[in-house]
């Protein structure tokens, strides 16, 4: 036997017995997005590497360590498997001039790729649902995005998630904060790890995003961006809080929230749970007013977020929400060549009636076929034997109730199964 080939580490199969929960999630997302008037956009999985370098920022974990980048050997282009969706979404919106008709409320979903150390809740191929509102500058849209999330948690049966918010201010206030931060970190040089020292002058804000436990004290005591905040950003932040309080959304201000991507400004937020262990952030986002210009468009305010689907699904399962798996309406068994034609006719009729029907394939005796019918989870088995053919009927057998078996015509069978 040849050696079997395994999946790439950190890239998971979703097996059919797990599909019901993905299906429930995807349908919930579709309904939820329709309720708030967001339209779906689908972007390619591969983009030019430059797009991510320019938008996410050169000195970030994603760009420095986590991207799957390769050369297109035909023309030498550097391409990258998308590590996130915002940059692609902005690129697509600009490329197709969507902002020409006004602001856009959009969402996307699909796999993202990051070369991280695989562990529970952290994979190399994982899935995100991302929501982006482009062309909106006010705190009202920030609030809308946050309120929508709170609604989604309810729809998914998720509880125990906390909202953390903060603000990064304007480009100018970030500059002021940056110089204060560098001054402080220079004084604490001994406590910085290699990554942090390298980033000290290139991107000191990223140091605050470090997960190195040895640096947490230094990070905790670092100058806070709030202390350097400009007036307009403060007003924006206060208005957002006002709306959230008004709408009954609980939150915590976390001044350490800086996010791992460079494009954010003003509002940033994360939804966090303690139920999943170390990987507790299920959703994260914020405002990115300069990104559209950075990617080549006219200055356009925007705000968005992305959620980690695997982490959300784990939380849904943990919350114990009952999600029924779909079962066929009927399972058709038949024996002997003489019954073939009637079996095909029966399944085709019932399917035309809108029923989900499995036709037993592969032969076998009635007992073995009945076993399959039973394990399909269906409520009904339909039996077609020589006796049935002779009398031009089919037998409908209840698999889950005491009533045993009745002989009926096709129309009656369909009505019986539909329960009308
Ligand atoms: P983390 O701090 O956990 O690395 P991040 O800040 O890198 O997260 P974002 O880029 O904001 O994450 O992505 C949004 C969400 O996508 C995260 O909150 C998380 O739920 C999910 N996510 C990010 N990276 C992974 C991964 N490697 N595997 C699974 N989910 C992920
Ligand atoms: Mg990360």
């Amino acid at each position: 036997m040849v050696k079997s080939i395994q999946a790439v580490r950190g890239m998971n199969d979703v097996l059919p017995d797990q599909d019901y929960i993905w299906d429930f999630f995807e349908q919930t997302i579709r309904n939820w997005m329709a309720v708030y008037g967001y339209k779906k956009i689908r972007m390619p999985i591969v983009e030019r590497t430059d797009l991510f370098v320019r938008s996410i920022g050169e000195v970030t974990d994603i760009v420095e360590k986590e991207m799957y980048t390769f050369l297109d050997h035909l023309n030498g282009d550097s391409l990258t498997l998308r590590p996130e969706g915002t940059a692609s979404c902005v690129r697509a919106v600009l490329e197709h001039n969507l902002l020409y008709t006004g602001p856009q409320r959009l969402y996307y979903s699909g796999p993202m790729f990051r070369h991280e150390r695989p562990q529970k809740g952290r994979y190399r191929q994982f899935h995100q649902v991302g929501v982006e509102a482009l062309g909106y500058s006010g705190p009202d849209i920030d609030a809308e995005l946050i309120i929508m999330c709170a609604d989604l948690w309810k729809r998914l049966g998720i509880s125990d998630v906390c909202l953390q918010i903060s603000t990064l201010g304007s480009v100018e206030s970030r500059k002021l904060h940056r110089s204060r931060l560098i001054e402080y970190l220079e004084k604490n040089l001994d406590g910085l790890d290699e990554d942090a020292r390298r980033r000290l002058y290139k991107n000191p804000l990223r140091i605050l995003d470090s997960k190195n436990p040895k640096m947490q004290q230094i990070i905790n005591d670092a100058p806070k961006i709030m202390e350097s905040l400009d007036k307009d950003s403060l007003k924006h932040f206060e208005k957002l809080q006002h709306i959230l309080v008004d709408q009954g959304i609980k939150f915590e201000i976390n001044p350490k929230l800086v996010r791992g991507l460079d494009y954010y400004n003003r509002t940033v937020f994360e939804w966090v749970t303690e139920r999943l262990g170390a990987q507790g952030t299920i959703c994260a986002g914020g405002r990115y007013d300069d990104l559209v210009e950075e990617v080549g468009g006219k200055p356009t305010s925007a705000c968005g977020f992305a959620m980690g689907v695997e982490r959300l699904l784990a939380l849904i399962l943990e919350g114990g929400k009952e999600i029924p798996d779909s079962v066929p309406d009927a399972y058709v068994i038949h024996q002997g060549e003489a019954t073939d034609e009637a079996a095909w006719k029966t399944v085709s009729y019932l399917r035309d009636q809108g029923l989900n029907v499995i036709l037993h394939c592969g032969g076998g005796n009635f007992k073995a076929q009945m076993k399959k019918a039973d394990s399909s989870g269906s409520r009904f088995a339909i039996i077609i034997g020589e006796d049935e053919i002779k009398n031009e009927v089919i037998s409908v057998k209840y698999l889950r109730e005491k009533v045993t078996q009745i002989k009926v015509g096709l129309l009656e069978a369909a009505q019986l199964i539909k329960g009308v």
Side-chain angles (χ1 to χ4, degrees):
M1 250 197 339
V2 291
K3 199 167 168 262
S4 61
I5 297 171
Q6 314 256 298
V8 177
R9 200 162 110 83
M11 306 206 179
N12 301 313
D13 300 303
V14 178
L15 299 180
D17 69 346
Q18 288 299 305
D19 183 58
Y20 75 102
I21 174 138
W22 283 79
D23 197 41
F24 161 73
F25 179 78
E26 283 159 2
Q27 285 196 28
T28 307
I29 293 291
R30 207 167 302 130
N31 296 339
W32 168 69
M33 288 281 77
V35 163
Y36 287 86
Y38 283 69
K39 290 250 194 254
K40 187 152 187 171
I41 180 165
R42 299 167 204 255
M43 300 85 66
I45 282 168
V46 176
E47 297 273 2
R48 294 179 179 281
T49 305
D50 279 354
L51 175 69
F52 301 117
V53 176
R54 227 199 276 176
S55 55
I56 297 169
E58 221 156 329
V59 189
T60 56
D61 276 353
I62 295 181
V63 171
E64 281 184 331
K65 306 175 193 169
E66 298 173 359
M67 293 206 305
Y68 282 90
T69 295
F70 57 96
L71 279 187
D72 179 331
H73 291 296
L74 286 182
N75 59 12
D77 285 350
S78 177
L79 304 178
T80 293
L81 297 185
R82 65 180 184 194
E84 57 105 51
T86 304
S88 310
C89 181
V90 168
R91 192 234 358 103
V93 162
L94 291 179
E95 195 164 330
H96 303 285
N97 239 331
L98 298 191
L99 289 167
Y100 183 71
T101 53
Q104 297 284 323
R105 286 177 157 101
L106 303 172
Y107 80 104
Y108 53 81
S109 76
M112 305 293 162
F113 303 84
R114 297 186 192 175
H115 201 281
E116 304 197 65
R117 192 171 67 78
Q119 52 196 289
K120 187 171 166 264
R122 194 174 289 287
Y123 312 103
R124 290 179 172 171
Q125 175 178 314
F126 63 100
H127 295 74
Q128 282 186 342
V129 171
V131 180
E132 317 286 356
L134 297 125
Y136 297 93
S137 59
D140 48 357
I141 203 85
D142 306 12
E144 172 173 286
L145 292 170
I146 289 173
I147 289 164
M148 269 163 50
C149 290
D151 178 19
L152 179 63
W153 311 150
K154 269 196 225 142
R155 290 165 184 254
L156 294 173
I158 287 174
S159 54
D160 290 340
V161 277
C162 300
L163 170 64
Q164 302 190 344
I165 60 172
S166 187
T167 178
L168 301 177
S170 64
V171 176
E172 292 75 44
S173 56
R174 277 174 75 165
K175 266 190 202 143
L176 179 64
H177 175 244
R178 183 192 151 97
S179 59
R180 288 182 179 161
L181 194 59
I182 292 178
E183 200 180 310
Y184 164 82
L185 292 170
E186 278 173 336
K187 283 190 201 131
N188 289 280
L189 207 59
D190 287 346
L192 299 187
D193 63 14
E194 199 186 315
D195 252 2
R197 285 183 196 201
R198 199 166 38 78
R199 290 173 173 181
L200 180 55
Y201 301 105
K202 281 190 186 158
N203 198 346
L205 195 65
R206 281 285 73 77
I207 298 175
L208 303 183
D209 197 41
S210 163
K211 299 199 172 68
N212 184 347
K214 288 189 195 129
M215 281 180 18
Q216 293 311 307
Q217 193 59 47
I218 293 183
I219 291 171
N220 277 338
D221 298 341
K224 306 283 179 290
I225 189 107
M226 295 292 186
E227 294 151 11
S228 312
L229 217 55
D230 59 292
K231 250 200 202 140
D232 285 347
S233 296
L234 188 64
K235 227 169 98 193
H236 186 107
F237 193 46
E238 279 169 353
K239 178 69 185 168
L240 168 66
Q241 291 177 58
H242 186 82
I243 303 175
L244 293 180
V245 171
D246 220 41
Q247 296 301 311
I249 306 285
K250 291 204 181 77
F251 60 86
E252 197 178 280
I253 296 178
N254 176 2
K256 283 200 304 171
L257 210 67
V258 293
R259 312 281 305 106
L261 304 86
D262 273 356
Y263 53 61
Y264 290 109
N265 69 303
R266 291 204 174 169
T267 311
V268 284
F269 63 89
E270 287 194 2
W271 290 91
V272 193
T273 178
E274 285 179 359
R275 289 189 176 227
L276 295 178
Q279 318 308 329
T281 305
I282 52 165
C283 173
R287 185 157 275 288
Y288 51 92
D289 294 326
D290 298 317
L291 182 62
V292 176
E293 209 178 348
E294 203 108 340
V295 177
K298 292 197 193 106
T300 308
S301 303
C303 191
F305 63 82
M307 40 197 165
V309 177
E310 283 81 357
R311 293 184 196 178
L312 276 167
L313 297 189
L315 206 55
I316 295 170
L317 286 175
E318 212 261 354
K321 185 174 176 66
E322 284 220 3
I323 304 163
D325 198 353
S326 66
V327 290
D329 296 314
Y331 190 103
V332 175
I333 69 178
H334 63 111
Q335 202 183 22
E337 249 173 60
T339 63
D340 272 6
E341 199 188 326
W344 286 109
K345 189 177 151 202
T346 301
V347 292
S348 150
Y349 177 81
L350 295 176
R351 287 170 185 156
D352 283 349
Q353 296 291 309
L355 293 166
N356 301 337
V357 182
I358 295 184
L359 171 64
H360 180 85
C361 287
N365 60 30
F366 267 136
K367 199 172 159 214
Q369 292 193 34
M370 192 58 90
K371 258 196 180 159
K372 292 273 192 236
D374 194 41
S375 63
S376 76
S378 173
R379 192 175 155 212
F380 298 99
I382 287 177
I383 304 161
I384 304 170
E386 276 158 22
D387 210 30
E388 280 83 2
I389 301 278
K390 222 184 291 162
N391 298 308
E392 294 186 2
V393 290
I394 54 176
S395 291
V396 178
K397 184 176 166 61
Y398 286 76
L399 295 169
R400 321 280 156 205
E401 283 117 303
K402 283 231 169 81
V403 199
T404 46
Q405 198 168 311
I406 30 178
K407 286 191 163 66
V408 287
L410 271 181
L411 174 69
E412 212 182 326
Q415 285 171 341
L416 210 74
I417 296 167
K418 280 187 193 165
V420 292

